[in-house]
Amino acid sequence: MLNGKHIILGITGSIAAYKAAMLCRLLVKEGAEVRVIMTPLAKQFITPLTMATLSKHPILVEFFNPENGEWNSHVSLGEWADMLLIAPATANTIAKMTTGIADNLLLTTYLSARSKVAVAPAMDLDMYAHITTQQNLQTLAQRGVAIIEPAAGELASGLIGKGRMAEPEDIVEQVKAIFAEAEHRTLAGKRYIVTAGATIEPIDPVRYITNHSTGKMGYAIAEELARRGAEVKLISGRTTLPAPKGVERIDVLTAEDMYNAAVKEWNKADGAVMCAAVADYTPAVVADHKLKKSDSDMRIELKRTKDIAAALGANKGSRIFVGFALETDNEEANAEGKLQRKNFDFVVLNSLRDKGAGFAGDTNKVTLIDHTGSQEHPLMSKREVAAIIVDKIETLNS
Ligand code: C5P
């Protein structure tokens, strides 16, 4: 997983520096090439000899070698690195990183590094909890530095609380996750709309018309698009799901609200996935008071709603446009009709006749239909379905 990755392991002056030995060993074992930079104080906590032996390279501390004047170039180190991992990171180093102080080789390398940067804080609980440290960490996080959270437990001072550096095994896992995430950012810079969930069409202040959509499929697609780096606006009808990480959710109620939000966002988007179960009809008038029952039957007059997908499709241009078709009969023919009518690039067909497909549950069985043919997929989780849909979006994008 870390095979061939270039990692600079920065070690600062914390008692947790002894754990850097194990961390270095694990990184090397995973196939990474590791170069170690220590701050001058770090040498008091762990010997350069230990770290040089484990990393299989001389360690770096000073800007130059005092014996022969050889320059340790922070610029070429910064260029070499795929990741700068500072573990342990003291409050002092974290503070200097936020302000750009560059008084040792580790800090100048940080300022020169174009790679991903991660810090694993290690300090006493009060130092860690201090508003200054917390704000500094927040600043670094906002600038894209990954923060590997410290663990709670007994600290070197004898106090018990949060501040102990994460365990080397956990740090390695997070390093892997950071690389994995970075490498899937294939849609970075692209803006996508996803519509999801059920619309609600009020009859009166108490009753409404809706459907069985849970929003799970649309939410999984929004999450997958965001994971690959896209900026996602999730226009969501009723659902009980939380907004996925990194996704901006726009809550709407009726088909009309969803239409307005989608049309507005479409101007700024590079593509859309229309996953919402939108009401085709809505009460012609919404009573402003609760309708009373009587002995006779009642009729509610319904009028057509606007077709959101058709409206966006009419103004698609070269943008990527994906629709859904949930059918109970004549599936392929109906889906192909939608592909043409709404100007989709492809339609995700699911049939309510297939067990495990449709609204309920966490699985779906889909066929992707585009203008050249169709591709049937086996039953899989909605998350996996989201991945194959986004895979297809990526091929259209490139
Ligand atoms: O025509 P039908 O509703 O079956 O088409 C389904 C596709 O059209 C889905 O992608 C759905 O999200 C979208 N749609 C829409 N606005 C509507 C009705 C459907 O965006 N009013």
Side-chain angles (χ1 to χ4, degrees):
M1 175 79 204
L2 296 178
N3 231 349
K5 290 278 185 284
H6 291 177
I7 298 178
I8 297 177
L9 176 59
I11 307 177
T12 69
S14 152
I15 185 64
Y18 77 93
K19 289 192 199 170
M22 179 56 87
L23 176 58
C24 181
R25 227 185 118 239
L26 292 174
L27 292 170
V28 170
K29 210 166 137 204
E30 288 279 348
E33 261 196 64
V34 181
R35 298 280 188 284
V36 176
I37 304 179
M38 294 168 88
T39 61
L41 191 61
K43 289 197 293 181
Q44 309 293 326
F45 290 91
I46 186 158
T47 73
L49 181 60
T50 305
M51 294 314 303
T53 309
L54 291 171
S55 68
K56 304 184 176 111
H57 288 278
I59 63 107
L60 303 162
V61 179
E62 305 295 345
F63 290 113
F64 59 89
N65 181 335
E67 284 192 47
N68 58 15
E70 194 186 334
W71 183 245
N72 291 324
S73 167
H74 54 89
V75 176
S76 40
L77 276 166
E79 274 170 359
W80 173 84
D82 296 310
M83 182 183 293
L84 169 60
L85 168 64
I86 305 182
T90 55
N92 179 48
T93 293
I94 288 164
K96 287 177 178 177
M97 287 168 77
T98 64
T99 52
I101 291 174
D103 62 357
N104 63 40
L105 184 65
L106 179 57
L107 290 162
T108 49
T109 305
Y110 164 62
L111 290 175
S112 305
R114 296 198 198 130
S115 66
K116 194 79 200 150
V117 179
V119 296
M123 63 200 77
D124 233 333
L125 78 159
D126 295 317
M127 285 178 89
Y128 180 73
H130 198 283
I131 182 78
T132 315
T133 307
Q134 286 303 313
Q135 282 183 353
N136 287 339
L137 285 169
Q138 219 171 35
T139 304
L140 291 183
Q142 278 161 4
R143 293 177 191 163
V145 173
I147 313 293
I148 301 174
E149 293 267 326
E154 192 179 335
L155 297 157
S157 60
L159 295 172
I160 294 174
K162 197 169 174 184
R164 197 165 76 172
M165 187 175 83
E167 290 308 313
E169 289 81 356
D170 297 336
I171 296 179
V172 171
E173 283 314 304
Q174 294 210 36
V175 165
K176 285 187 197 167
I178 292 164
F179 277 123
E181 199 191 329
E183 280 154 15
H184 278 100
R185 303 207 144 245
T186 36
L187 293 174
K190 300 282 180 204
R191 290 165 299 184
Y192 272 82
I193 303 175
V194 178
T195 67
T199 61
I200 290 196
E201 309 299 328
I203 298 167
D204 67 17
V206 181
R207 289 89 166 201
Y208 55 79
I209 300 170
T210 189
N211 58 67
H212 289 300
S213 172
T214 58
K216 277 184 185 164
M217 194 61 249
Y219 273 53
I221 292 168
E223 187 170 4
E224 186 63 24
L225 285 165
R227 213 176 58 75
R228 299 195 199 185
E231 201 183 290
V232 183
K233 302 249 166 121
L234 174 59
I235 303 174
S236 176
R238 190 218 48 205
T239 125
T240 54
L241 302 169
K245 207 174 126 212
V247 163
E248 185 186 330
R249 187 167 77 184
I250 301 168
D251 288 314
V252 294
L253 201 64
T254 63
E256 180 77 16
D257 294 344
M258 189 173 272
Y259 174 89
N260 290 333
V263 167
K264 182 165 164 236
E265 295 301 332
W266 188 222
N267 295 330
K268 299 171 266 172
D270 297 299
V273 183
M274 311 302 284
C275 203
V278 186
D280 292 325
Y281 293 91
T282 191
V285 275
V286 181
D288 58 7
H289 57 277
K290 184 179 172 191
L291 296 173
K292 296 283 178 242
K293 61 176 165 290
S294 67
D295 288 339
S296 52
D297 292 341
M298 171 188 264
R299 280 173 178 278
I300 299 170
E301 196 190 333
L302 301 175
K303 64 175 185 196
R304 278 300 310 265
T305 56
K306 292 176 186 148
D307 192 316
I308 306 165
L312 268 50
N315 167 26
K316 164 178 140 50
S318 59
R319 297 182 287 179
I320 293 164
F321 196 44
V322 183
F324 270 74
L326 176 67
E327 306 294 340
T328 54
D329 53 272
N330 232 342
E331 290 87 344
E332 295 240 352
N334 282 334
E336 272 164 29
K338 278 169 204 174
L339 184 75
Q340 306 298 344
R341 262 198 323 277
K342 307 199 189 198
N343 205 12
F344 290 130
D345 288 304
F346 66 96
V347 165
V348 183
L349 164 66
N350 37 139
S351 168
L352 276 191
R353 281 199 285 195
D354 285 323
K355 223 168 153 267
F359 296 126
D362 292 320
T363 57
N364 209 352
K365 185 173 182 313
V366 299
T367 302
L368 304 190
I369 300 175
D370 63 19
H371 296 276
T372 60
S374 69
Q375 239 181 327
E376 204 178 323
H377 290 273
L379 184 72
M380 50 178 96
S381 70
K382 286 188 173 167
R383 186 178 267 260
E384 287 169 316
V385 172
I388 61 162
I389 292 168
V390 180
D391 285 346
K392 194 166 171 77
I393 288 175
E394 274 185 7
T395 61
L396 296 172
N397 231 329
S398 53

